[in-house]
């Protein structure tokens, strides 16, 4: 965000076109002859829109490994990642995958507080993970 309360998003051309179509006050700034995304007054976007476009801008410029990890987490289904239990649900499964956690062995390396700090992992998911670990003679790190 600049001092004039405009958000500049470095988006691919097609996505910048979407923002421009939805926000008449938006402009396409350039450096020389090259478009560098889109600039939008902050007051023209609600929080959900801003979150969406900031995330899209990040994904367009993120290292490929990180962008692939986020895409995999977005597509994750409960019970479809490693040996993580289906009972924890999709939000917790996605949160764990976003953190690079794909197995119960990796879960066991974390503390309850570390798991709860992940957006999408709540007390129920932590309890279910703890029970699943306990059934195999393992537990969360202290």
């Amino acid at each position: 965000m600049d001092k004039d309360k405009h958000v500049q998003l470095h988006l691919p051309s097609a996505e910048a076109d979407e923002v421009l179509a939805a926000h008449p006050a938006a402009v396409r700034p350039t450096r020389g002859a090259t478009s560098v995304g889109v600039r939008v007054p902050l007051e023209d976007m609600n929080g959900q829109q801003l979150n969406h476009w900031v995330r899209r801008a990040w994904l367009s410029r993120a290292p490929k490994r990180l962008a692939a990890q986020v895409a995999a987490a977005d597509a994750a289904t409960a019970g479809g990642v490693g040996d993580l239990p289906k009972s924890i649900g999709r939000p917790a499964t996605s949160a764990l995958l976003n953190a690079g956690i794909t197995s119960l062995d990796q879960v066991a390396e974390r503390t309850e507080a570390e798991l709860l700090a992940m957006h999408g992992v709540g007390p129920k998911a932590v309890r279910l993970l703890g029970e699943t670990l306990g059934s195999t003679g393992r537990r969360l790190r202290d």
Side-chain angles (χ1 to χ4, degrees), residues 91-96 98 114-122:
T93 300
S94 292
L96 292 171
N98 263 326
E114 288 172 327
L115 293 172
L116 287 170
M118 296 178 194
H119 181 73
V121 179

Side-chain angles (χ1 to χ4, degrees), residues 7-12 14-20 22-23 38 40 45-60:
V7 176
Q8 182 152 338
L9 301 163
H10 294 273
L11 293 164
E15 293 186 69
D17 289 343
E18 286 183 53
V19 175
L20 290 164
H23 302 282
V38 64
V40 187
M45 287 190 166
N46 67 40
Q48 284 183 322
Q49 291 170 326
L50 182 60
N51 186 49
H52 170 78
W53 289 115
V54 166
R55 187 170 198 269
R56 297 298 307 157
W58 181 85
L59 284 170
S60 75

Side-chain angles (χ1 to χ4, degrees), residues 24-99:
V27 296
R28 188 185 300 260
T30 58
R31 282 198 185 113
T34 305
S35 171
V36 290
V38 64
R39 186 171 180 262
V40 187
L42 184 60
E43 67 187 23
D44 286 4
M45 287 190 166
N46 67 40
Q48 284 183 322
Q49 291 170 326
L50 182 60
N51 186 49
H52 170 78
W53 289 115
V54 166
R55 187 170 198 269
R56 297 298 307 157
W58 181 85
L59 284 170
S60 75
R61 298 175 68 94
K64 289 180 183 180
R65 180 187 61 78
L66 292 177
Q69 187 173 322
V70 168
D74 287 347
T77 58
V81 176
D83 61 349
L84 298 176
K86 183 177 185 174
S87 60
I88 65 172
R90 187 189 172 304
T93 300
S94 292
L96 292 171
L97 191 54
N98 263 326

Side-chain angles (χ1 to χ4, degrees), residues 82-138:
D83 61 349
L84 298 176
K86 183 177 185 174
S87 60
I88 65 172
R90 187 189 172 304
T93 300
S94 292
L96 292 171
L97 191 54
N98 263 326
I101 299 170
T102 60
S103 71
L104 286 171
D105 285 339
Q106 292 171 310
V107 170
E109 296 170 359
R110 308 298 171 123
T111 66
E112 181 176 328
E114 288 172 327
L115 293 172
L116 287 170
M118 296 178 194
H119 181 73
V121 179
K124 180 180 177 185
V126 171
R127 178 180 53 79
L128 293 169
L129 288 165
E131 289 171 1
T132 304
L133 287 170
S135 72
T136 61
R138 297 176 286 181

